[in-house]
Amino acid sequence: MAEIKPFRALRFDTQAAGDIRELCCPPYDIISEQQRRQYLDVNEHNVVRLELPKGENPYEEAGALLRQWQDEGILKRDQQDGLYIYEEEFEAHGQRMRVKGVICRVKVEEFSKGVVLPHEETLSKAKTDRLNLMKTTFCNFSQIYSLYMDETHSTQQKIDRLSQGDPQVEMEDGSGVVHRLWVVTDPQAIREICGDFKERKLYIADGHHRYETALNFRNDCRERGIAKEGDAVDYIMMMLVDMEHDGLVVFPTHRLVRDLASFDPEAVKRACEEYFAVEEKEGIASMEAQLDALYQQGKKAFGFYTGGDKWTLLTLKSMEPVQALLPEACAATQGLDVTVLHSLVLEKIFGIDKENMAQQINLTYTREFKEAVQSVQKEESQCAFILNPTRVTEIRDVAAAGEKMPQKSTYFYPKLITGLVMNQMER
């Protein structure tokens, strides 16, 4: 099963590089160009220069810059192999929460082996970008976020014991999330945690593109004769978290529909009556709470919004239409809210097929309820579908069945920060 191991992380030397708060950034795929420039205006050593390089030859420049920063002592590798305990403290659902796991190297395995399991579809463009970056840097600047099952929670107990003292790093980012890092170098403690995973599978929560890129990178290195089995390119940096950790938060990703040649809200509602109980509601401020109440009851419900202060509640009557449309899909996939919405509404009623969704021609996404509403009010979108979040158990069940959810089915919050710990692969 999963093979994990310690490593000597590449980290910023803050005496040479500056305050750690000025050196880290969010994941590359949620950073705008304006944000990227702002990070660099504050500190030219921000990791965004490596993780999201720009210019005529961005990947080659990132590789050269990485070597330069190591030569200058901006980045230094730890002297001992270690595991890195990482905690995020944040605000969600009106309360202060914490999630904690361990960062390590994980051996990459083809999905067909059933050791590391995906749950979402990916886009080839992002994988090409990440592969080009890995080829020139031989480094993971950010970690993949994965979950594991542990009924006794024994690994989490070990992680908690090993992080009782003060962290080596503690910082608060611009969004109010506090990040803490403890370095574990005790050989016995490392052996015990690594041993826990010998019979476990890992479920990718966030970072599908980077994982598939790691597989392609490993294969490319072997084909070029610059790596063999067992070398560092066989491993990728991951953050591993107990699937039942009480700090795990998954936000929904709402759907925005735009640029349809003919859009008639009333016709849409009439078509929905075949599958849903359709109720007109007053006051969009209550939409999320009403959807959450139905979520707690285990019902499949959506908010359909076309403007103003009214909205329509769609509550699925029966799973039979979904089962009839997707007879080959497992029960877990059929039962996903995103599956219900995509198959019965977006595809069947709107005629937006999977390729259209993948290219985001008539469909875009947002995590923010307010942003979804404003997009319709500003007439940037014709309508919005407000969703409830995917449950962590649903992610596990879909992945375990060897199936994948549609893109943008999950949004784990908060995102793991980039720049605290980096995995440099020996050549």
Side-chain angles (χ1 to χ4, degrees), residues 336-352:
L336 294 170
D337 283 21
V338 289
T339 300
V340 172
L341 181 67
H342 281 215
S343 60
L344 295 183
V345 181
L346 297 181
E347 292 185 48
K348 195 168 179 61
I349 295 175
F350 282 82
I352 302 174

Side-chain angles (χ1 to χ4, degrees), residues 124-143:
S124 58
K125 181 179 179 182
K127 286 180 280 189
T128 301
D129 165 62
R130 293 297 95 183
L131 180 59
N132 289 335
L133 185 62
M134 286 186 73
K135 283 182 176 181
T136 60
T137 63
F138 270 67
C139 194
N140 307 140
F141 301 111
S142 58
Q143 54 275 318

Side-chain angles (χ1 to χ4, degrees), residues 97 136 168 217 291 360 367 386 403:
M97 305 181 72
T136 60
Q168 275 88 339
F217 177 66
L291 289 174
Q360 297 188 23
R367 178 176 66 84
I386 307 302
E403 298 184 9

Side-chain angles (χ1 to χ4, degrees), residues 6-19:
F7 66 109
R8 293 191 299 123
L10 187 66
R11 295 195 287 155
F12 280 108
D13 182 338
T14 53
Q15 289 188 333
D19 192 316

